[in-house]
Amino acid sequence: MKLFGSEGNQHCLKVLAALEVTGVQCDVQYVNHEERVVPFLSRPVLPALLLPSGQHLFSSNAICQYVFEVSGQPSSDVCTQWLEWEATELQPALLQAVHMAVLQGKGAEVSQVLQGTLNYLDQSLSKRTTPYLTAESVSVADVVLWAALYPVLSDSTLALGEHKSVQAWFDRMTGIPGCQAAAQKVLQGKGLQGLKGYMQKQPAPQYSQRRHPCNSSSTESDEGERAVSEEEMEAAALTWSKGLDSCPAPAERQHPILPQEGKRNLLVTSALPYVNNVPHLGNIIGCVLSADVFARYGRLRGWNLLFVCGTDEYGTATENKAREEGLTPQQICDKYHAVHDSIYKWFQIDFDFFGRTTTERQTEIAQNIFWRLHERGFLVEDTVEQLRCESCQRFLADRFVEGICPHCSYPEARGDQCDMCGRLINAVELREPQCKVCRQTPAIRSSKHLFLDLPKLESQLEQWLEKSTSTGDWTANAKQITRSWLRDGLKPRCITRDLKWGTPVPHPDFAEKVFYVWFDAPIGYLSITANYTDQWEKWWKNPQQVELYNFMAKDNVPFHSVVFPCSLLGAQDNYTLVNHLVATEYLNYEDTKFSKSRGVGVFGDMAKDTNIPSDVWRFYLLYLRPEGQDSAFSWADMAAKNNSELLNNLGNFINRAGMFVSKFFEGCVPVMDLQQEDKRLLAQVGWELRQYIQLMDKVKIRDALKHILNISRHGNQYIQVNEPWKRIKGDDADRQRAGTVTGVAVNVACLLSVMLSPYLPTVSQTIREQFKAPDSCISTMLQGAGCFVCTLTAGHRIGTVSPLFQKLEPEQIEALKKRFGGQQPEEEPPTKKKTAENAAGAKPAAATPAPAPAAEVVAVVNGADPEKAKQLTQAVAEQGDKVRALKAQKAEKAAIAAEVAVLLDLKKRLTLAEGKSAEPTPQKGKKK
């Protein structure tokens, strides 16, 4: 990394302080304030960070976040809110204050300008119990705000009023040696006056209305229009004039796709969905849809890309599902593989190959990796005590046993963890264990198993991780989760299971066992590719030529960043390891979570029944893609985004541009005589295109989408200001102006069709068909840093233009919300609950006829409801998985407690549905 900065630049102070505080190593070069170091920007921007990839970061706050992330300290949500406040509220006030004090000699008026922001910061700090803005230790938010405020707060001549909490925090920060060193380097001991040279080169600032973080619900950007220089406008006009002459049309995909010399070869995988679950919207955006958008974008960029996925079909859950439905495991896999395939086709997921793990290739490759690990001493044997149900004639997996917790006596602890006290449990430690299938008491039996010796591979893993995370695009949560696994040292991990349904272990001493699903499942990526092409090793044993992108939700991270890489490293067969690990947070449903059993939320097989096009579903899921934090699907918000962004913004602009051509110019694009206003639009659109490409290259899919919407906003404003519908009725000059505006607008619409292609493939294709756009426009616009050229030249005849989107009406949305809201079991009245408890405690032999109300209650408690119990069993399993995931990620205690409370309530309902008392039965003299 190389940082370019300038002395006396307060933004450089932020970045230098971040480097000093974190200890991240970086070359620093001081240049003149006016030196351009970012090649595609027409104006000088400092500081600028040159990344190893050749990309530039040129926002000081973004650079600081990057530095902290590299050091292992990703930004929290609160940090991000403070950084946003600093950029949008504090920074404008500070720029005006510094301008007044340094260049106008109005130091006495500075207090008035800064009073509101300093008061807000003081109040926020006074309410905190921690010494810093967000935690017990210094965060990126502390460094950025301290550096921003340092020039004014360190100047004793400015009377800024009394802000005790701010001053105490500022003094703590200033006392940090790294902060002191950074201030000395940038300001050279001159304090506020050290900024004079830099400020003289800056335009006079304009002050704006202040807002504060954490109390605004708006998600839209209210930032003002970006200034465009004459130079940018002329450069944009020159690019526009180049047209499509020298650009070939994109080549059709030829299968099998194989790595090519001299090309960027990308292998893209989506986490393999488990076969026996119908994916909900959260599963779809977390894995396959995100990967699909990136894969589509990569193809448009001209990269040689292979996108594979498939269903994960082995394991305990499949056996259980087969038992529930009275089918064989293979029949269950066949049934639900078809369900998945149908869902993904409807969502337009464009896999190059969608396979499955129950294949001969899977067995062959998994067993080969196993033997290579065994031969190289990376597998160890150990005897494990397990619970075996003699009635079911099998060893019980953790999810099939529950009993009394040995630590807190909670009566429904699972075989791996107690959801009441949170302690990890070995199933054999449970008191009074029960098989969840037949409710019989299992016996303890010893069983020999094989373990992957992760400690022996740990140093190799850490060396590889250091390189991969520093050179690749790993999301912050992926890095954080991986570090948490490594922090306490790795332990051997069992890779075998006493099951029937799985890849057989080939070792003769373990012939009755199969591979544990998390050893076996990631190998599915390899076997699925092998079922696509016999030359699969050109992708999977070719790290010199191939970049591997893994897409998943955060709960899958450790298996892709630790366990699977260790398997491949230990196999020592030149395997391709992940270069870019892209993990999302969770998508929730309204104010709760998805649950098939309770009918809550939209699942993949239901979306098409809503009569909402799949492109609209894609748009909304991608608009709220949980990139940095959990997000929630909302019907009201979906309708609002469809009606405002798709219909009124994007669709309105594209439809108007096309209609003007049809109505005013007989369907032919008019001659365009560019004026400064047109060139300004070209420059604005070109800048948005370049931002889109930078973000998409870094897999910032949600953020890139906002730049598409910005372009259509620019276009709508351009049309509104120039009023071609009025000018067409004027003199020749007005008619010429109407023609230019219409021609430019329809070309912007054509660009939008290209940028939309990864997100809304059907709409994108429809736009190009309506405008009869040449195929070569697709590959031209997204080359290099972005190239907005005139694709629909004067005289080009367009087709029939029609609306792209439809309004979602309130009554339609309300009906869908009700339909997918689920049937929540109502709470019983207290008297009924008490009666039920009494009834549950009654002797079974009580056959005396009871009054009607009591008889009804006994029917609920002592008479089990199998259908309801089945639904609740699934709900308990889902909620238990969520609790365990939160604990594995070391989530906030309050968040865990809330989910545990939900789990306990579900278990209580399940107990009643099974015809048992909701209270633990006293255990008297029961035989062990």
Side-chain angles (χ1 to χ4, degrees), residues 83 101 152 205 219 245 265 412 437 480 514 519 562 639 684 784 845 910:
L83 293 178
V152 293
T219 59
D245 292 345
N265 299 297
E412 295 177 4
V437 175
Q480 189 176 7
V514 298
F519 172 78
V562 177
Q684 289 172 326
L910 174 59

Side-chain angles (χ1 to χ4, degrees), residues 287-536:
C287 302
V288 293
L289 179 53
S290 295
D292 177 64
V293 171
F294 184 73
R296 287 175 179 271
Y297 169 77
R299 294 176 190 129
L300 294 180
R301 290 280 272 158
W303 301 334
N304 186 47
L305 185 147
L306 178 67
F307 176 25
V308 297
C309 186
T311 43
D312 172 14
E313 302 190 349
Y314 284 130
T316 308
T318 303
E319 286 188 357
N320 192 38
K321 189 75 170 178
R323 187 178 292 106
E324 284 178 10
E325 296 195 16
L327 299 172
T328 67
Q330 187 63 60
Q331 288 172 329
I332 280 290
C333 292
D334 294 343
K335 172 184 175 180
Y336 283 97
H337 175 81
V339 170
H340 280 264
D341 189 42
S342 171
I343 289 168
Y344 301 140
K345 283 176 178 171
W346 188 82
F347 273 96
Q348 304 176 76
I349 308 301
D350 192 14
F351 301 116
D352 289 302
F353 187 72
F354 183 70
R356 53 201 304 188
T357 58
T358 51
T359 66
E360 290 181 10
R361 282 292 207 174
Q362 175 74 11
T363 302
E364 173 192 322
I365 297 171
Q367 290 183 348
N368 175 264
I369 290 173
F370 165 82
W371 280 122
R372 294 185 70 89
L373 289 168
H374 188 273
E375 290 160 4
R376 285 155 182 78
F378 293 119
L379 298 181
V380 292
E381 293 184 16
D382 200 1
T383 300
V384 178
E385 285 193 330
Q386 293 177 267
L387 294 176
R388 179 177 171 83
C389 178
E390 297 302 338
S391 173
C392 296
Q393 284 294 297
R394 63 172 183 166
F395 284 96
L396 297 179
D398 295 337
R399 70 175 66 198
F400 287 127
V401 61
E402 68 179 23
I404 299 172
C405 174
H407 306 292
C408 71
S409 297
Y410 177 59
E412 295 177 4
R414 282 170 51 130
D416 57 351
Q417 188 172 28
C418 174
D419 290 322
M420 177 62 76
C421 68
R423 300 279 288 275
L424 295 176
I425 299 170
N426 187 332
V428 296
E429 297 173 338
L430 289 170
R431 300 203 305 271
E432 300 178 16
Q434 280 190 333
C435 168
K436 288 184 70 174
V437 175
C438 68
R439 293 300 173 187
Q440 296 299 308
T441 300
I444 296 176
R445 296 284 185 269
S446 293
S447 180
K448 257 197 331 182
H449 282 278
L450 286 165
F451 290 72
L452 180 60
D453 196 347
L454 293 179
K456 198 170 181 179
L457 289 157
E458 190 164 359
S459 62
Q460 284 187 59
L461 177 72
E462 288 182 337
Q463 287 176 26
W464 164 74
L465 278 171
E466 177 65 30
K467 180 181 178 183
S468 184
T469 57
S470 61
T471 59
D473 292 320
W474 286 53
T475 51
N477 57 356
K479 292 180 184 177
Q480 189 176 7
I481 292 167
T482 303
R483 279 192 295 267
S484 71
W485 267 58
L486 292 170
R487 192 164 42 230
D488 300 324
L490 298 178
K491 298 172 180 60
R493 188 169 186 87
C494 190
I495 67 165
T496 54
R497 282 289 185 269
D498 287 298
L499 299 172
K500 300 295 183 188
W501 185 244
T503 300
V505 178
H507 196 292
D509 293 346
F510 300 88
E512 299 300 313
K513 301 182 191 300
V514 298
F515 288 129
Y516 174 42
V517 70
W518 268 115
F519 172 78
D520 186 59
I523 297 172
Y525 297 131
L526 284 64
S527 71
I528 287 167
T529 310
N531 280 299
Y532 165 70
T533 172
D534 289 340
Q535 301 177 71
W536 65 274

Side-chain angles (χ1 to χ4, degrees), residues 743-754:
V744 170
V746 80
N747 271 282
V748 172
C750 189
L751 169 66
L752 285 170
S753 77
V754 175

Side-chain angles (χ1 to χ4, degrees), residues 780-813:
T780 303
M781 306 273 205
L782 299 184
Q783 294 310 302
C787 187
F788 179 32
V789 299
C790 179
T791 57
L792 306 179
T793 55
H796 174 87
R797 180 167 293 280
I798 68 170
T800 303
V801 177
S802 58
L804 298 167
F805 304 104
Q806 292 185 335
K807 185 179 182 181
L808 292 177
E809 300 292 349
E811 56 272 18
Q812 178 187 5
I813 290 302

Side-chain angles (χ1 to χ4, degrees), residues 1-7 9 12 15-16 19 26-33 35-37 45-50 185-186:
M1 293 192 301
K2 186 170 186 178
L3 176 71
F4 296 91
S6 57
E7 292 178 356
N9 181 337
C12 293
V15 178
L16 280 176
L19 289 170
C26 179
D27 292 336
V28 180
Q29 180 179 336
Y30 291 95
V31 297
N32 187 285
H33 296 310
E35 186 160 341
R36 285 174 53 192
V37 296
V45 177
L46 294 170
L49 183 66
L50 176 61
K185 288 177 183 176
V186 175

